[in-house]
Amino acid sequence: MNHILSERINNLAVSQTLAMAALARELKAQGKDIISLSLGEPDFNTPDFIKEAAKKAIDDNFSAYPPVEGYADLKEAICAKFKRDNNLNYTPSQIVVSTGAKQSLYNIAQVMINEGDEVILPAPYWVSYFEIIKLSGGVPVEVPTSVESNFKITPEQLEAAITPKTKMMWFSSPCNPSGSVYSKEELEGLAEVLKKHPNIYVVSDEIYEHINYTGNYCSIGSIAGMENNTITVNGVAKAFAMTGWRIGYIGAPEFIAKACTKMQGQVTSGANTIAQRATKAAVEANPSAIKYMVDAFQSRREIVYQLLSEIPGFKLTMPEGAFYFFPDVSAYFGKTLRGTEIKDANDFAMYLLSEANVATVTGDAFGNPNCIRLSYATSEEVLREAIKRIKEALV
């Protein structure tokens, strides 16, 4: 029946993170003892003060359609958050609240990208960037990195990737999947290149900004000369353990924000009202309110680094943010393990699922075919057991 469906959907890849999570659930339902390290989802509950704000919103009858771009007082709170945490100066007319940061990214692609426009993607990149750009008629241009460069691109690589067709660059810091965080100096180096090309716009995905172990955080939009060419994307899913509340937001030049509002007005209209009231409580809170979660992630990071370092053939970086490891496992390519030939990261991830009962995600999905992604957003006990199984399956 594929010929009946649109070329658009036939050419769209399935999200491999969601596909692996679904496969893990299926195997669990069949009675297999699967440990899933495939989804990027905090294992904490939403903090009580945020839940209270949502309950109050229900009692206060926030049940009518909201403005397409978000409640005015929420947009003001987001502007204050941007100023407090990121040294970004946005006005409410530059903010658009959406149903998750994924919709924010989709809106941006739809209103900015024309057929054939090139979008630079430092690889590895979050799995959905590539497909969202393609779906919008854009051409993703991957700039490769490796364990050795801590999965970060250099100004020279950026300059070399720019052509007359380059419209945008999309990246995340802290990065999903590698956990790398660009320092202020590194971002200034990239900004120097971008400022020579004033027609290029940057999408800075900062959804993991608070899950950051470097002690510093810099938004590229706060660098002098970048404010009019940067679209800052954020949300409450990761830092506040609100993945299911589905709220993301952008700060952008006003003409782009207006265009995103126009697009959203025809697709979903305003985001969920109760979730918006809960988000206001989240963004108004001092980041210290979620320190307990960040501390737990940091402690797990140390444990997982130690355990993965003991597995022969795993090349690692120490992630500086987010809650993932992205080991290079190419030492196993070309080998046969328990009768299974490992040709690439896909084979390796499927081998771990069948032989170790551990679900990970192939690095192919993120633009790096030598790696796999493991999420450590789960308990220490589960992590120790998962890595023990992986190690045993590779010996």
Side-chain angles (χ1 to χ4, degrees), residues 39-337:
L39 269 188
E41 180 159 52
D43 59 320
F44 294 95
N45 293 321
T46 302
D48 286 344
F49 74 94
I50 296 172
K51 293 195 278 195
E52 290 308 318
K55 292 173 190 171
K56 185 174 187 308
I58 294 170
D59 291 337
D60 290 348
N61 297 306
F62 276 91
S63 48
Y65 285 128
V68 170
E69 70 278 20
Y71 286 121
D73 58 350
L74 171 56
K75 295 199 298 170
E76 279 167 21
I78 289 168
C79 289
K81 172 258 173 292
F82 272 139
K83 183 67 184 161
R84 178 192 71 202
D85 298 342
N86 311 99
N87 196 28
L88 294 167
N89 298 302
Y90 288 117
T91 59
S93 63
Q94 296 178 280
I95 307 297
V96 182
V97 178
S98 302
T99 303
K102 201 179 256 191
Q103 184 182 22
S104 299
L105 291 163
Y106 184 75
N107 284 346
I108 294 162
Q110 286 286 305
V111 307
M112 294 287 291
I113 297 172
N114 285 313
E115 202 71 37
D117 283 345
E118 291 178 356
V119 180
I120 292 172
L121 289 183
Y125 43 76
W126 182 53
V127 53
S128 291
Y129 295 167
F130 193 96
E131 295 300 324
I132 287 173
I133 289 162
K134 223 172 66 178
L135 195 56
S136 306
V139 179
V141 175
E142 298 179 56
V143 180
T145 65
S146 65
V147 167
E148 289 74 22
S149 64
N150 198 9
F151 299 112
K152 297 179 193 179
I153 64 163
T154 63
E156 293 74 22
Q157 282 182 295
L158 174 57
E159 185 72 79
I162 292 172
T163 76
K165 290 184 173 177
T166 305
K167 180 73 173 276
M168 308 187 84
M169 176 175 102
W170 288 29
F171 79 110
S172 59
S173 178
C175 174
N176 174 4
S178 70
S180 303
V181 178
Y182 282 89
S183 68
K184 185 177 186 200
E185 293 69 32
E186 287 165 334
L187 290 174
E188 283 171 341
L190 299 177
E192 283 312 305
V193 174
L194 292 162
K195 283 188 272 189
K196 290 188 276 182
H197 302 274
N199 295 328
I200 296 176
Y201 284 79
V202 176
V203 168
S204 179
D205 179 349
E206 303 183 2
I207 193 88
Y208 291 96
E209 65 166 330
H210 293 308
I211 307 171
N212 168 19
Y213 320 115
T214 66
N216 294 299
Y217 188 75
C218 180
S219 295
I220 195 167
S222 69
I223 294 169
M226 289 303 297
E227 53 279 355
N228 296 324
N229 284 65
T230 301
I231 304 155
T232 307
V233 178
N234 212 321
V236 288
K238 310 297 183 179
F240 295 94
M242 293 174 70
T243 51
W245 296 74
R246 309 309 306 130
I247 297 286
Y249 55 84
I250 65 167
E254 191 171 321
F255 76 99
I256 295 174
K258 279 192 157 67
C260 287
T261 300
K262 181 180 176 185
M263 169 64 62
Q264 192 165 295
Q266 293 290 12
V267 181
T268 55
S269 300
N272 177 288
T273 56
I274 309 306
Q276 284 197 54
R277 304 321 289 166
T279 297
K280 182 170 179 284
V283 297
E284 285 176 343
N286 188 297
S288 62
I290 51 170
K291 188 174 182 298
Y292 67 97
M293 290 193 249
V294 180
D295 287 348
F297 290 134
Q298 186 159 8
S299 148
R300 294 166 187 177
R301 176 186 75 143
E302 311 300 323
I303 292 161
V304 173
Y305 183 77
Q306 184 56 48
L307 295 172
L308 289 179
S309 298
E310 293 166 10
I311 300 178
F314 270 45
K315 278 202 295 190
L316 298 172
T317 56
M318 174 61 104
E320 298 160 311
F323 35 64
Y324 308 105
F325 275 85
F326 199 58
D328 182 318
V329 295
S330 57
Y332 287 92
F333 300 172
K335 294 190 172 173
T336 299
L337 303 172

